[in-house]
Amino acid sequence: MAEPFLECPSHWRKGTLEPGSKGGLIVAADTGTTPKTEVERYWDGDIPWLTPKEISRRRGGIFVSTTERTVTREGLVESSLKLHPAGTVMLTKRAPVGMVAVNTAPMTVNQGFLAFTCGPHLRSTYLAYWLIANRPYLEQVANGSTYPELYVADLFEFEISVPPLEYQNQVIQVIKALQFTAMLALPMEQALGDTTQIKKIHAYRDRMEDLVQKILILLLSGKLDVRHVGSKIGGILNEKNS
């Protein structure tokens, strides 16, 4: 088992990303493929097919409902694609490494993903946030002869510690609220015509995204109780303004 990137309380449930391993956190981990592009009957169906470049272009938010390309039922079956249920955690293994999405509708993925199905003790959104917080670690272990790539054997060695489900739910709600506040910068930017004001909005967005990442790591490591998030945010903002 690899040394954990985040140190967590000893009483939290521990396990790995390997399906069926001790801890009951992950029940399945699958990759995808690309149906033959020259076979027209495989494409333009009603089944979403996700690629890493689609989620790497998104800013803010982890949920994905639609995809640029779709496959048919024939493409799904004859290409041995797996249709992942809503709530599956999609992690990019390459190009780029460590991007995360959670699907809100059944969909398939290409070979650039590893798709995790969570067990009864782990919320999918919590796992997604955990992977985001651990991206520096993922990038460190990625290797490859031509470009960085995460290999399944390495991922299955990762130790993950999670709190009880009720606490996971509270962490998810806090992070969602902070992300929503950060994403408000986009409609504010669209409503403004003055470049000076837009520059300020960009600076606000960057500060908020940095704040979300700091709070996320503190919550996932158990170093910050969700009940004390408000005072911690105030302290971080005061540090930036001083």
Side-chain angles (χ1 to χ4, degrees):
M1 185 180 295
E3 188 72 20
F5 180 65
L6 298 177
E7 293 185 9
C8 300
S10 59
H11 64 277
W12 284 12
R13 180 181 294 270
K14 290 180 172 56
T16 70
L17 297 181
E18 184 174 6
S21 64
K22 182 180 179 181
L25 301 178
I26 304 295
V27 298
D30 304 278
T31 189
T33 190
T34 300
K36 293 180 179 179
T37 55
E38 66 272 18
V39 181
E40 293 184 4
R41 59 190 174 87
Y42 286 174
W43 297 96
D44 300 322
D46 58 358
I47 302 171
W49 178 75
L50 187 66
T51 64
K53 70 175 183 179
E54 293 178 65
I55 64 173
S56 66
R57 289 198 297 260
R58 293 182 300 118
R59 181 155 193 170
I62 60 172
F63 297 100
V64 58
S65 302
T66 59
T67 57
E68 293 178 0
R69 300 200 68 181
T70 57
V71 297
T72 62
R73 182 62 55 176
E74 286 181 295
L76 179 80
V77 174
E78 296 180 18
S79 302
S80 299
L81 276 168
K82 180 173 181 178
L83 186 61
H84 301 289
T88 301
V89 181
M90 320 289 197
L91 172 70
T92 59
K93 299 188 295 180
R94 61 189 184 191
V97 166
M99 299 296 291
V100 183
V102 178
N103 59 325
T104 62
M107 67 178 56
T108 61
V109 298
N110 80 350
Q111 61 275 13
F113 286 97
L114 191 65
F116 293 97
T117 303
C118 295
H121 301 294
L122 179 60
R123 300 290 192 225
S124 58
T125 305
Y126 191 92
L127 174 61
Y129 289 152
W130 185 88
L131 290 168
I132 290 170
N134 279 267
R135 189 176 182 187
Y137 194 7
L138 298 176
E139 292 174 338
Q140 287 177 22
V141 301
N143 58 76
S145 57
T146 56
Y147 47 77
E149 181 171 357
L150 286 168
Y151 291 96
V152 170
D154 294 326
L155 287 170
F156 285 175
E157 287 293 313
F158 282 10
E159 179 183 293
I160 176 172
S161 299
V162 299
L165 290 176
E166 182 179 353
Y167 194 83
Q168 290 182 47
N169 293 336
Q170 293 173 346
V171 170
I172 290 168
Q173 291 305 314
V174 168
I175 297 302
K176 279 184 177 180
L178 291 174
Q179 287 180 329
F180 177 76
T181 302
M183 292 173 67
L184 286 176
L186 181 58
M188 292 170 65
E189 175 186 329
Q190 298 301 316
L192 295 171
D194 181 79
T195 55
T196 301
Q197 292 299 319
I198 292 176
K199 184 178 180 180
K200 291 180 179 180
I201 291 297
H202 286 179
Y204 160 81
R205 179 195 62 201
D206 292 342
R207 287 197 306 272
M208 285 302 302
E209 289 180 350
D210 180 61
L211 174 65
V212 171
Q213 186 66 13
K214 288 182 177 179
I215 294 296
L216 176 62
I217 290 175
L218 291 172
L219 288 174
L220 296 184
S221 63
K223 295 179 179 178
L224 175 63
D225 191 297
V226 288
R227 295 171 297 180
H228 304 146
V229 168
S231 59
K232 186 64 178 180
I233 290 174
I236 293 175
L237 293 177
N238 287 334
E239 290 176 7
K240 287 184 173 293
N241 295 329
S242 60

